Amino acid sequence: MLGHRRRIYSLYKPQESSEYMSKFLQGTIILIIAGLITRVLGFVNRIVVARMIGDEGVGLYMMAVPTLVLVITLTQLGLPVAISKLVAEAEALGDRHKIKNTCRLFKHYVYA
């Protein structure tokens, strides 16, 4: 079991700490900007929708949102992250059969 993990880790080239920090900070800044853009667009969307559907429509929408959030939470369950991890590990080991099986599992998850 540990043998395949050593092979996976040995595929990664050690980076210098300054290069790693630079990439880390760049990724962090990109995520912060993307989060801000998403929040601004969501705020604008709420204003437009509220003006279009009126007070009663907003009330009905707010009654339905908690149920929608619950359903989305239950359908996610961390499976996309687990599937990505499995595919990455199989790719690092060159195991095409495991990649196909994982993708088939993902298709069943999406279409279920």
Side-chain angles (χ1 to χ4, degrees):
M1 186 84 169
L2 276 177
H4 83 281
R5 290 198 188 271
R6 285 191 192 131
R7 282 186 275 163
I8 291 172
Y9 295 134
S10 68
L11 295 175
Y12 300 113
K13 210 164 75 174
Q15 298 176 345
E16 295 181 23
S17 63
S18 62
E19 181 183 345
Y20 174 76
M21 285 304 290
S22 173
K23 287 183 179 181
F24 179 76
L25 289 175
Q26 182 181 7
T28 302
I29 290 170
I30 289 171
L31 287 174
I32 289 171
I33 292 171
L36 289 174
I37 291 171
T38 302
R39 288 192 181 257
V40 168
L41 290 175
F43 180 70
V44 170
N45 185 37
R46 282 187 186 180
I47 292 172
V48 171
V49 168
R51 288 182 180 232
M52 288 176 64
I53 63 177
D55 292 338
E56 188 176 344
V58 171
L60 293 171
Y61 176 75
M62 289 300 161
M63 286 173 47
V65 167
T67 306
L68 176 67
V69 170
L70 177 66
V71 169
I72 290 172
T73 302
L74 291 176
T75 57
Q76 291 299 312
L77 291 176
L79 289 176
V81 175
I83 290 170
S84 298
K85 181 181 178 283
L86 288 172
V87 169
E89 284 181 354
E91 181 71 30
L93 295 173
D95 188 357
R96 291 283 186 210
H97 182 69
K98 186 173 181 180
I99 293 172
K100 286 181 181 178
N101 285 342
T102 306
C103 289
R104 193 173 303 126
L105 172 70
F106 180 68
K107 286 179 192 173
H108 289 305
Y109 169 72
V110 169
Y111 297 124

